[in-house]
Amino acid sequence: AVANEIGYPVMMKASAGGGGKGMRIANNDEEAVTGFRLCKTEALASFGDERMLVEKFVVQPKHIEIQVIGDQLGNVVYLPERECSIQRRNQKVIEEAPSMFIDEVTREAMGKQAVMLAKGVNYHTAGTVEMMVDKDRNFYFLEMNTRLQVEHPITEMITGVDLVEEMM
């Protein structure tokens, strides 16, 4: 039912997952039923939790990360994006900043959305908002990492901002 509402293709994945485990793509109802069953089994075996998410699968995606920094006064800013589309088994291999694919209009729109998200949850430190962007530059929220990621020095290099110092 959910897959038909959001439209195929869809990605089914373990809500407690990571590392690409418990993930399947479905292009129709038959694949969704079979894939969902397999994902739940793998999720339970790998993570001890069979809860699943179903989301739109983005064809020809770009994986974009937006660094945000907020303070305890409610101020939040975003910094230029990192593109981490080159992956192996859903794990980042190369990060590029700024993205060659993202234009200024999309960059600003994504940054504003990242700031709205952080403000909406009263976020007051450094974090990363991850989004998927399709070939037409439509973007979709993926997740927010409420910590500095190992890739944060890339943002520091291109902006000159010491994110660890800003967190203190």
Side-chain angles (χ1 to χ4, degrees), residues 79-80 82 97-98 151-163:
L79 298 171
R82 300 185 300 257
E151 304 91 352
H152 80 272
I154 296 166
T155 298
E156 291 179 329
M157 285 179 63
I158 66 167
T159 63
V161 175
D162 184 332
L163 295 170

Side-chain angles (χ1 to χ4, degrees), residues 36-94:
F36 194 80
R37 191 176 323 114
L38 290 169
C39 284
K40 279 183 76 165
T41 301
E42 187 173 341
L44 186 60
S46 297
F47 310 112
D49 186 340
E50 65 179 11
R51 291 177 297 162
M52 301 296 300
L53 300 170
V54 178
E55 61 190 31
K56 182 74 176 165
F57 178 72
V58 180
V59 179
Q60 296 179 344
K62 299 290 184 183
H63 185 153
I64 304 293
E65 299 177 340
I66 305 282
Q67 193 78 57
V68 294
I69 306 173
D71 65 22
Q72 294 187 357
L73 300 174
N75 300 302
V76 179
V77 297
Y78 71 91
L79 298 171
E81 78 284 349
R82 300 185 300 257
E83 180 175 337
C84 46
S85 300
I86 299 174
Q87 299 188 9
R88 181 173 184 267
R89 296 185 180 164
N90 298 299
Q91 297 297 301
K92 301 167 203 166
V93 176
I94 295 175

Side-chain angles (χ1 to χ4, degrees), residues 63-158:
H63 185 153
I64 304 293
E65 299 177 340
I66 305 282
Q67 193 78 57
V68 294
I69 306 173
D71 65 22
Q72 294 187 357
L73 300 174
N75 300 302
V76 179
V77 297
Y78 71 91
L79 298 171
E81 78 284 349
R82 300 185 300 257
E83 180 175 337
C84 46
S85 300
I86 299 174
Q87 299 188 9
R88 181 173 184 267
R89 296 185 180 164
N90 298 299
Q91 297 297 301
K92 301 167 203 166
V93 176
I94 295 175
E95 295 238 359
E96 177 182 16
S99 170
M100 299 288 286
F101 179 75
I102 301 299
D103 59 26
E104 284 303 318
V105 171
T106 307
R107 180 173 291 117
E108 184 176 338
M110 291 175 72
K112 286 180 177 179
Q113 287 291 313
V115 166
M116 281 180 34
L117 170 65
K119 284 184 173 186
V121 296
N122 300 314
Y123 194 71
H124 56 82
T125 188
T128 306
V129 178
E130 297 190 29
M131 300 183 192
M132 298 300 284
V133 182
D134 69 18
K135 61 183 175 47
D136 299 317
R137 293 187 178 89
N138 298 304
F139 56 91
Y140 307 89
F141 173 76
L142 187 59
E143 66 182 355
M144 181 172 185
N145 291 295
T146 55
R147 57 177 165 69
L148 276 183
Q149 292 182 279
V150 68
E151 304 91 352
H152 80 272
I154 296 166
T155 298
E156 291 179 329
M157 285 179 63
I158 66 167

Side-chain angles (χ1 to χ4, degrees), residues 1-11 26-29 32 54-57 140:
V2 171
N4 285 306
E5 284 179 34
I6 61 176
Y8 287 102
V10 296
M11 169 74 77
N27 294 296
N28 55 49
D29 289 343
V54 178
E55 61 190 31
K56 182 74 176 165
F57 178 72
Y140 307 89

